[in-house]
Amino acid sequence: MTRERVPMSAPWITPGDIASVVATLRSGRLALGPATAAFEKAFARLVSTPHAAAVSSGTAGLHLAVLAAGVGPGDEVVTTPFSFVASSNAFVHEGARPRFVDIDPATLMPPPAAIAAAVTWRTRAVLTVDLFGDPYDADPVLALAKKRGLAVIEDACEALGSAYKGRPAGSLGDAAVFGFYPNKQITTGEGGMVTTHRAGWDALFRSLRNQGRDVHDAWTDHSRLGFNDRLDEMSAALGLSQLKRLGAMVKGRQRVAAMYSERLAGVGGVEAPRPLPTTTRMSWFVYVVRLAKGVDRDRVMRDLAARGIPTRAYFSPIHLQKPYRERFGFRPGQFPVAEEMARRCVALPFHARMPEKDVAAVCRALAAVIAPSRGARRR
Ligand SMILES: *Cc1c(COP(=O)(O)O)cnc(C)c1O
């Protein structure tokens, strides 16, 4: 195994972040305390929603949003097959069936008109995914949902700090979900947040994450069947400290993305990502390039790895994952654009403080390894 010359991603942890976590540890209050409340309040202000409920992961948040939307056995949820598997697992666990809509090759997301066409009488919700930090074109889907009485869940796990037509990602649907895994824009180690304009949904999230206990319930009384999806105080303290630097983190990501795009403009066979025209601020979760048709992406990844450059295949289509094939009978060829893009897309090393020399090294290596297969194809 070759040693990695550049890291795939890197959380940005400051002495201030560490001091916040240590102070929380010293306070003796390690769960259900002031750090969680302060993190939620700051988060809601940033996303422009009246409510934000901290949870133990983005995945847990998606599950709670699915429950609030009333999704259950026999229901369908219209969504994209080109996402992280958690976005669909959330409702499959509740007995609902995915109604996948193939993606537009330009945006890598389902066209809003195709989402409208996929809605049936069984559809309970639309689950949009803000892919790689790029907010989904939500307005047509919000209008459709209003007309058809559907819930809209926004998987904004990759889009903290992005904006759609001037509105923050995570403020668009009935509920939106964020994740704070270490490669996301901000991290709490593990953690997540559910934002909503609906007071009733927020109360439900707070109850469900806490074993189903309602605000008026006594310590061991529980009004509904709940979970332990709480975020602990150390994670919340880290999240609040990180959130204060979100502006700098997004600027850093934009700087790195711009360096990549400039350098890759001169590399044949590699297409740089282009955010949607409706995206008014892009916070860049990952930097995913598309290789030209005919380039052996897996060979390129192996050759890069041999040169110490890690990469990731983003994404492997959800419908072709084993549990989806087995449970729903999905087969290759059903969502051809998602499948082709899954074969051609690759995420390059990316984080907010990536030095220019690392970006240059990645681009040089990519140019060198892509040349043979391009040549072989032409001759
Ligand atoms: C990261 C991510 C999640 C899950 O977040 P976790 O905090 O890791 O559970 C869900 N959906 C998408 C699209 C993601 O990128």
Side-chain angles (χ1 to χ4, degrees):
M1 191 63 199
T2 319
R3 235 183 82 231
E4 287 185 357
R5 282 202 292 159
V6 296
M8 187 63 211
S9 68
W12 180 356
I13 304 292
T14 63
D17 291 341
I18 294 167
S20 296
V21 176
V22 170
T24 298
L25 280 166
R26 291 221 161 93
S27 77
R29 187 82 183 258
L30 307 187
L32 285 172
T36 302
F39 183 32
E40 290 174 336
K41 194 168 164 208
F43 202 94
R45 193 178 315 121
L46 213 134
V47 175
S48 299
T49 53
H51 310 284
V55 288
S56 54
S57 69
T59 303
L62 284 167
H63 182 220
L64 298 192
V66 160
L67 289 169
V71 172
D75 291 336
E76 284 178 357
V77 175
V78 174
T79 192
T80 175
F82 197 68
S83 178
F84 186 51
V85 72
S87 60
S88 285
N89 284 355
F91 58 81
V92 171
H93 273 301
E94 289 305 312
R97 193 188 164 87
R99 196 160 169 88
F100 290 124
V101 178
D102 206 0
I103 57 174
D104 178 331
T107 66
L108 303 178
M109 295 184 251
I115 287 198
V119 169
T120 72
W121 63 273
R122 287 184 186 274
T123 306
R124 173 72 72 150
V126 179
L127 194 149
T128 62
V129 178
D130 300 334
L131 191 75
F132 306 148
D134 206 7
Y136 186 73
D137 183 9
D139 277 342
V141 168
L142 296 174
L144 167 82
K146 203 167 170 189
K147 208 168 78 191
R148 304 288 299 264
L150 308 172
V152 177
I153 299 168
E154 182 187 359
D155 182 345
C157 284
E158 303 187 350
L160 177 60
S162 286
Y164 168 76
K165 300 183 184 175
R167 288 131 68 191
S171 68
L172 305 170
D174 292 288
V177 182
F178 294 88
F180 308 130
Y181 189 76
N183 66 346
K184 310 268 161 149
Q185 285 86 344
I186 71 163
T187 188
T188 60
E190 298 283 3
M193 192 72 77
V194 192
T195 54
T196 183
H197 297 279
R198 295 167 168 264
W201 283 34
D202 183 63
L204 188 59
F205 299 146
R206 289 167 187 282
S207 171
L208 286 172
R209 75 175 175 188
N210 195 25
Q211 309 287 5
R213 191 184 305 147
D214 267 340
V215 275
H216 55 78
D217 283 343
W219 186 251
T220 52
D221 277 349
H222 301 91
S223 297
R224 57 181 61 75
L225 205 58
F227 310 90
N228 179 356
D229 285 343
R230 299 183 301 259
L231 187 71
D232 67 69
E233 284 284 283
M234 289 74 75
S235 300
L238 177 56
L240 180 61
S241 183
Q242 290 252 309
L243 200 61
K244 289 179 180 155
R245 294 203 316 287
L246 180 64
M249 290 171 156
V250 169
K251 271 211 188 86
R253 285 174 177 270
Q254 290 173 338
R255 180 187 60 87
V256 174
M259 290 191 302
Y260 262 129
S261 297
E262 198 185 316
R263 283 173 187 274
L264 290 175
V267 180
V270 181
E271 209 180 303
R274 277 187 315 254
L276 299 189
T278 45
T279 299
T280 49
R281 191 170 59 241
M282 177 67 170
S283 66
W284 296 100
F285 164 51
V286 281
Y287 190 85
V288 176
V289 297
R290 188 184 307 189
L291 305 186
K293 235 182 176 143
V295 174
D296 182 347
R297 193 270 319 265
D298 294 344
R299 201 260 316 148
V300 166
M301 290 178 73
R302 279 195 305 275
D303 288 357
L304 285 173
R307 288 164 183 255
I309 310 289
T311 54
R312 299 277 184 277
Y314 270 69
F315 277 112
S316 185
I318 298 175
H319 67 284
L320 297 182
Q321 311 268 334
K322 190 164 173 251
Y324 286 79
R325 291 181 190 233
E326 286 179 356
R327 187 183 290 224
F328 304 108
F330 289 120
R331 295 173 320 280
Q334 283 186 290
F335 304 98
V337 182
E339 291 167 27
E340 185 192 335
M341 291 306 149
R343 283 191 299 269
R344 286 174 52 191
C345 287
V346 60
L348 303 180
F350 187 77
H351 60 96
R353 293 189 301 165
M354 190 166 171
E356 181 147 26
K357 68 165 182 38
D358 283 6
V359 176
V362 173
C363 294
R364 253 195 326 271
L366 186 55
V369 306
I370 204 158
S373 59
R374 294 268 298 160
R377 196 166 57 88
R378 256 186 261 114
R379 263 159 265 269

